Amino acid sequence: MSWRPTYRGSKFRNVYGKVANREQSFEGIPITKNVHDNHFCAVNSKFVAVVTESAGGGSFIVIPVSQSGRLDSHYPKVCGHQGNVLDIKWNPFFENIIASCSEDTSVRVWEIPDGGLRRNMTEAVLELYGHSRRVGLIEWHPTSSGILFSAGYDYKILIWNLEIGEPVKMIDCHTDVILSMSFNTDGGLLATSCKDKKLRIIEPRSGAVLQQASCKNHRVNRVVFLGNMKRLLTTGVSRWNTREIALWDQEDLSMPIVEEDIDGLSGLLFPFYDADTHMLYLAGKGDGNIRYFEVTTEKPYLQYLMEFRSPTPQKGLAGVMPKHGLDVGACEVFRFYKLITMKGLIEPISMIVPRRSDTYQEDIYPMTAGTEPALSASEWLSGINRALWSAFARCHGAYGLAPTAAPALKTPRVSAFAFVLTDPVLMSLKDTYRRPNQLVFKAPVKEKKSVVVNGIDLLENVPPRTENELLRVFFRQQDELRRLKEELTSKDVRIRQLELELNNLKNVSPNH
C-alpha cells in the first residue's frame, strides 16, 4: 500500500499510541510459549487474563487491572484443564465470568471472585464436552447473555446454551480447521475464515451458509465484521507471500472491494475494529508495529492514519478493553495489552486523541455497547429479536398507533424503518457512567447423560485423534485399573474376614 500523506479532514488523524510506564505494566508473568495463532490474553474493566506456561495441564492467570507491577512467582492460577489452554474470552455482560478452551477437547466457564484469586482454582462453574478434538476458538454472542460459540479441530462449531449447559446447535459446513470467527453488531451473522481457503457468512441460528468466497489469490487468515457498515475485512497472504488486507461486501463475496499489500513480513496480522470511531488497527504477530486506518463507505474506503512503532516484538495483543474501562478524561479511544514473552511483561498501549479542552468529548464517545444483554439465551434461540420489535413499536408510536404486546417476532421483514435498529443495549460514557448490572450468572445443575446434536451423540465412543490424546486416554485407563485393583483387593480382604467371623460363629453355637 502506498502510504501517501493525506490532508483529508479527520478528527482521528493525530491519534497516537502511548505506552504505559513500568508501574502500570504487569511483570514476572510466565507467558505461554505455545505457537497457536491466538492472542492468549483477554481483558475487561476488572481483570486481565493471560495463558501461562505450566506443567501437567493448561492454566491461565487472572490479575485485577488495578494490581499492576511485578507478580509473585506463586501467584494463584486457574488450572483445571488437562491440556494446553488455547483461547480465553471474558463474558461481555458478566465481568467475573470467563470461558476457556483447551487441547483436552473441553470448554470451561469460570467465575472469578471480586479482587482476584487467593488460591489455585480447579473447579469450573461449567465443563462443556462435545468436541472430538482440541478446541481452538471461543466467542461470546454480542447481544445474548448465555450463548457461547466454540470451534474445534473436528471442523465443527458448537453453540452452547449456558442456561442448560448443553450444545443446542452444530454448524458443520467447514472442511478444514476454522481459523477465526467474527459477529456483526447484532449477532445475527457469523463470519468465519477456514484453512480450506474459504470465507463464509453464516446465519448462526439455522447454520445456513448465506455467502461463501473461495480465496485463491488472497489466502484469508483472520476476518472481522466492520460494525453496521455491511463490510468485512480480512487479513491474509497474497500469491506473492506478502501480507495484505481485503475489504468485502457482506452481501456479495464474489470479489473483494479493495485489496492492499501491507508489507513482506511473515507474521500473522490481527485486525481490530472500533465501531464507535470507525477505526481499524492492524497488529502483526512477531513485530512491534500497530497500523491504524479510518474506514469509510466511500472511496478510498481505508484511509491510512499513522503507525505506532516499537522495537519490542509482540506475541499477541489482548485487544479491546471495553469502552467503559477506558480513561475518558484522557481522550483514550482504544487500549491494547501487549504480550512480551521474553521479558514476561504485559504492556498497556493507549490510543489517544489529542484534545486541548478538558470537557467531555462527545464526538469521539458516541453511545456504545453496554454491559446489559438485549436477549437471554432462550429468547435468542427461539428467534425473538427484541431490537426489531422495539424499532417497530417506536415507528408505530411516531405515527400515533398504539403498539400491542410484543409477539415472538421471528426475523420480520423491516425495510422502511431499518435505519433505527440498534440491537445492543447502548450506554453513555459521560462522567465515566456505568449502568448497574442486576443480573446474576446461574450455572445449571447438570447430570451425566448423552449429548445429542443433529441426531449425533457427541460423547459416544469418541476415538483419540492425536498421540497426546491417546496417551491421556491410556494414562486415565491405567489410573482407573489401579483404582479398581485396589478396590478388589480390599474387598477380598473383607470377604476373608467375614468368612472367618462366620466360621467362629458356627464353632461357638454348638457349645451353647
Side-chain angles (χ1 to χ4, degrees), residues 249-375:
D249 183 347
Q250 75 177 37
E251 296 178 354
D252 182 12
L253 297 184
S254 58
M255 288 288 291
I257 300 172
V258 174
E259 283 182 309
E260 293 287 355
D261 286 342
I262 299 298
D263 56 35
L265 300 179
S266 58
L268 186 69
L269 272 180
F270 291 110
F272 302 91
Y273 181 69
D274 182 1
D276 296 338
T277 61
H278 303 295
M279 287 182 65
L280 172 73
Y281 302 86
L282 297 179
K285 184 176 182 179
D287 60 75
N289 301 337
I290 301 173
R291 298 175 177 88
Y292 37 104
F293 309 78
E294 188 172 9
V295 183
T296 62
T297 56
E298 301 175 352
K299 289 184 178 181
Y301 303 114
L302 294 172
Q303 184 69 43
Y304 174 74
L305 295 175
M306 207 175 293
E307 181 175 1
F308 169 81
R309 293 177 178 270
S310 171
T312 310
Q314 57 216 11
K315 180 181 180 65
L317 292 166
V320 186
M321 164 67 80
K323 281 301 180 78
H324 59 272
L326 298 178
D327 187 354
V328 176
C331 294
E332 183 184 26
V333 293
F334 217 73
R335 189 190 303 167
F336 293 100
Y337 283 76
K338 177 178 177 179
L339 302 187
I340 305 174
T341 308
M342 299 302 293
K343 297 182 179 180
L345 179 67
I346 303 178
E347 191 176 67
I349 302 173
S350 298
M351 311 307 294
I352 295 175
V353 180
R355 292 288 173 94
R356 293 181 180 179
S357 175
D358 294 332
T359 60
Y360 178 69
Q361 306 295 315
E362 197 166 355
D363 60 326
I364 62 175
Y365 294 115
M367 296 287 287
T368 188
T371 58
E372 182 181 341
L375 297 167

